């Protein structure tokens, strides 16, 4: 199976506000960098969008290690998702899951891969996370 490393980050200037994302896809010794922005969004939406955009780039089923500084994304995919689905996309407090469409897209994209979701502390010197943050900020500046 194809082995891929993905690094992602997203952020906003204000929350909500102008937001951007950056991702690095590393496979076969090559890095592909992608960035994008939206004029009015949230941090969490940009974090999720980074992962979605990166996963959409992969043409074949892969063994992926996806590293992000978003506990929201990691916990959503590894802890909360099964309960949300079981509860009809409601939280434990019976509220609708925020960003449901994005969660469903992440779930769909994830099904064809084997993904290890890894959290790293943001702004803490992790080389690829810092680069993804830089890409996200560049994308916001280009709006």
């Amino acid at each position: 199976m194809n082995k891929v490393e993905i690094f992602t980050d997203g952020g906003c200037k204000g929350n909500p506000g102008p937001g951007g994302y950056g991702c690095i896809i590393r496979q076969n010794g090559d890095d592909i960098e992608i960035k994008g922005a939206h004029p009015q969004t949230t941090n969490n939406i940009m974090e999720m969008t980074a992962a979605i955009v990166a996963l959409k780039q992969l043409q074949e089923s892969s063994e992926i290690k996806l590293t992000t500084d978003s506990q929201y994304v990691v916990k959503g995919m590894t802890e909360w998702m099964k309960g949300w689905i079981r509860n009809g996309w409601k939280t434990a407090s019976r509220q609708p899951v925020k960003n449901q469409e994005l969660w469903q897209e992440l779930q769909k994209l994830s099904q064809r891969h084997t993904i290890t979701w890894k959290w790293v502390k943001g702004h803490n010197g992790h080389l690829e996370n810092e680069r993804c943050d830089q890409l996200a900020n560049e994308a916001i500046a280009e709006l």
Side-chain angles (χ1 to χ4, degrees):
M1 190 177 268
N2 191 31
K3 290 187 184 279
V4 180
E5 283 185 281
I6 296 175
F7 305 91
T8 65
D9 193 29
C12 280
K13 302 295 183 192
N15 192 26
Y21 65 85
C23 44
I24 300 168
I25 303 165
R26 180 173 292 154
Q27 59 182 333
N28 304 322
D30 293 322
D31 283 3
I32 298 167
E33 294 185 344
I34 304 169
K35 63 183 175 182
H38 192 277
Q40 187 68 16
T41 188
T42 68
N43 287 337
N44 285 340
I45 288 171
M46 289 293 93
E47 294 281 9
M48 295 172 76
T49 299
I52 289 167
V53 167
L55 291 171
K56 282 185 172 180
Q57 303 303 307
L58 303 178
Q59 301 301 314
E60 58 188 72
S61 293
S62 302
E63 185 177 314
I64 301 166
K65 181 171 142 189
L66 194 149
T67 302
T68 176
D69 64 5
S70 172
Q71 289 207 26
Y72 179 68
V73 170
V74 172
K75 287 185 176 185
M77 293 304 293
T78 62
E79 297 177 26
W80 304 332
M81 180 79 67
K82 287 180 184 157
W84 290 338
I85 293 168
R86 187 176 53 247
N87 294 331
W89 288 97
K90 300 259 192 271
T91 64
S93 60
R94 296 283 171 219
Q95 299 302 308
V97 172
K98 289 182 182 172
N99 306 312
Q100 178 181 334
E101 301 81 20
L102 294 174
W103 286 118
Q104 288 171 327
E105 189 167 6
L106 262 179
Q107 177 202 22
K108 181 181 171 199
L109 289 166
S110 298
Q111 288 175 341
R112 55 187 291 244
H113 304 290
T114 302
I115 304 177
T116 302
W117 298 89
K118 182 177 182 219
W119 178 80
V120 294
K121 184 176 171 72
H123 310 288
N124 202 39
H126 184 281
L127 185 64
E128 292 87 357
N129 181 257
E130 296 289 346
R131 177 61 183 149
C132 289
D133 180 67
Q134 183 180 9
L135 290 167
N137 284 307
E138 286 174 7
I140 295 168
E142 292 166 5
L143 278 174

